[in-house]
Amino acid sequence: MTRLHLHLVSDSTGETLETMAKAALAQFDGVEVLKHFWPMARSEGHIERVLGEIALSPGLVMYTLVNRDLRRKFENGCHALGLPAVAPLDAVSNALSNLLGQAASARPGRQHVLDAAYFARVDAIQFTIAHDDGINWENWEEADILLVGVSRTSKTPTSIYLANRGFKTANLPLVIESPPPGVLFTVKNPLIVGLITSAERLIQIRRNRLLSLNQAPETDYVDEQAVAREIAFARRIFADNEWPVIDMTRRSIEEAAAAIIALVGERR
């Protein structure tokens, strides 16, 4: 196992750097990454303190600093330490600058301005939390997306991810013994998507859930035949209503959400 100190230095929140670093690191195996976050670095004093800390745990440095003086000071400091420093947004900014014929504005954190899109995301998150697990089904017509599936098919985490992308998302667990509300089959506005997974995967997830709650690990909840009936019940509803289905067996939350967003785009 290789250990890597990764320093993420930003004059804003550092979210962009973290996302890019995560995507890059996913391509490497056998690496223990120790992440060091240095957000809101907007003064010479702050830059000096960060360089001092980096010197104590040398490794790869990724940074986004738009102020030219601070950036030069930071780059010189990394060079003096003999450490590789990467500014991953430079190539994109330079390409845009050449195509648009204008220089990028040197304003840190501009992507986090509280604009209409930001408040739309906040609204979507509030709506999604209030409509989790079949709650407040009377308001489903206001949703952009409605996720349906049997218990433990990642409906809630997928809903929250979609909400963070600005989509009002409700979700409903399908239970054989409890028919879903009739409005499920009459709503017009939300895109209804069925989530499914393999019986083996579902049983494994449910068994782990029971163990985490210190409950008996052998019940109908994880019985092979009972789970198979649940999945068949869900698939029948999906097919009867011609709803698109996302198989979560080997999909991450991010991949499932991307597929659902694509479906929303096609529908529109």
Side-chain angles (χ1 to χ4, degrees):
M1 180 72 71
T2 302
R3 172 174 288 192
L4 170 69
H5 287 279
L6 177 62
H7 297 272
L8 305 177
V9 184
S10 174
D11 50 21
S12 186
T13 64
E15 292 177 20
T16 302
L17 276 178
E18 184 179 14
T19 300
M20 298 178 77
K22 182 179 179 181
L25 288 167
Q27 306 302 315
F28 298 90
D29 299 320
V31 180
E32 180 188 1
V33 181
L34 302 177
K35 292 182 182 178
H36 306 268
F37 293 95
W38 310 107
M40 309 306 290
R42 297 183 178 180
S43 69
E44 287 194 12
H46 198 162
I47 291 296
E48 290 174 359
R49 289 195 298 274
V50 169
L51 286 169
E53 293 294 334
I54 291 175
L56 297 176
S57 303
L60 175 63
V61 180
M62 293 176 64
Y63 66 96
T64 52
L65 299 169
V66 297
N67 181 284
R68 291 180 180 84
D69 293 334
L70 291 180
R71 179 184 173 118
R72 189 179 304 110
K73 181 180 182 66
F74 183 72
E75 290 171 342
N76 290 340
C78 289
H79 180 73
L81 292 171
L83 297 178
V86 181
L89 289 181
D90 277 10
V92 178
S93 294
N94 291 337
L96 285 171
S97 180
N98 291 333
L99 284 171
L100 298 174
Q102 59 176 287
S105 61
R107 282 177 283 189
R110 193 175 181 188
Q111 72 271 34
H112 299 290
V113 172
L114 302 185
D115 55 11
Y118 171 84
F119 289 107
R121 286 196 302 274
V122 171
D123 191 30
I125 292 170
Q126 291 176 339
F127 179 92
T128 299
I129 292 173
H131 295 80
D132 183 42
D133 211 26
I135 298 173
N136 293 323
W137 54 264
E138 302 91 343
N139 302 323
W140 279 350
E141 199 63 61
E142 300 174 24
D144 299 309
I145 300 167
L146 175 54
L147 303 181
V148 184
V150 300
S151 174
R152 314 314 296 178
T153 48
S154 300
K155 295 184 298 300
T156 295
T158 305
S159 295
I160 296 297
Y161 188 94
L162 288 167
N164 275 284
R165 296 293 301 274
F167 296 93
K168 292 182 179 180
T169 309
N171 72 75
L172 172 73
L174 291 177
V175 181
I176 295 179
E177 298 79 12
S178 178
V183 69
L184 174 64
F185 308 105
T186 61
V187 289
K188 302 298 183 184
N189 185 63
L191 170 70
I192 303 178
V193 179
L195 300 187
I196 205 72
T197 190
S198 69
E200 295 78 9
R201 177 63 175 157
L202 192 56
I203 290 171
Q204 179 186 21
I205 293 172
R206 289 182 173 185
R207 184 167 285 129
N208 289 338
R209 174 65 173 167
L210 291 175
L211 289 172
S212 70
L213 297 174
N214 293 320
Q215 296 183 7
E218 299 301 330
T219 67
D220 285 346
Y221 190 57
V222 293
D223 178 76
E224 187 174 339
Q225 291 185 346
V227 170
R229 284 195 298 271
E230 283 187 70
I231 294 175
F233 170 70
R235 286 189 179 278
R236 187 162 57 251
I237 292 179
F238 300 157
D240 289 347
N241 293 276
E242 298 182 343
W243 296 332
V245 178
I246 302 293
D247 190 335
M248 303 295 292
T249 305
R250 293 180 177 84
R251 269 195 174 98
S252 67
I253 301 301
E254 295 85 352
E255 291 170 331
I260 293 168
I261 292 172
L263 288 171
V264 172
E266 292 173 8
R267 187 189 193 211
R268 288 176 176 173

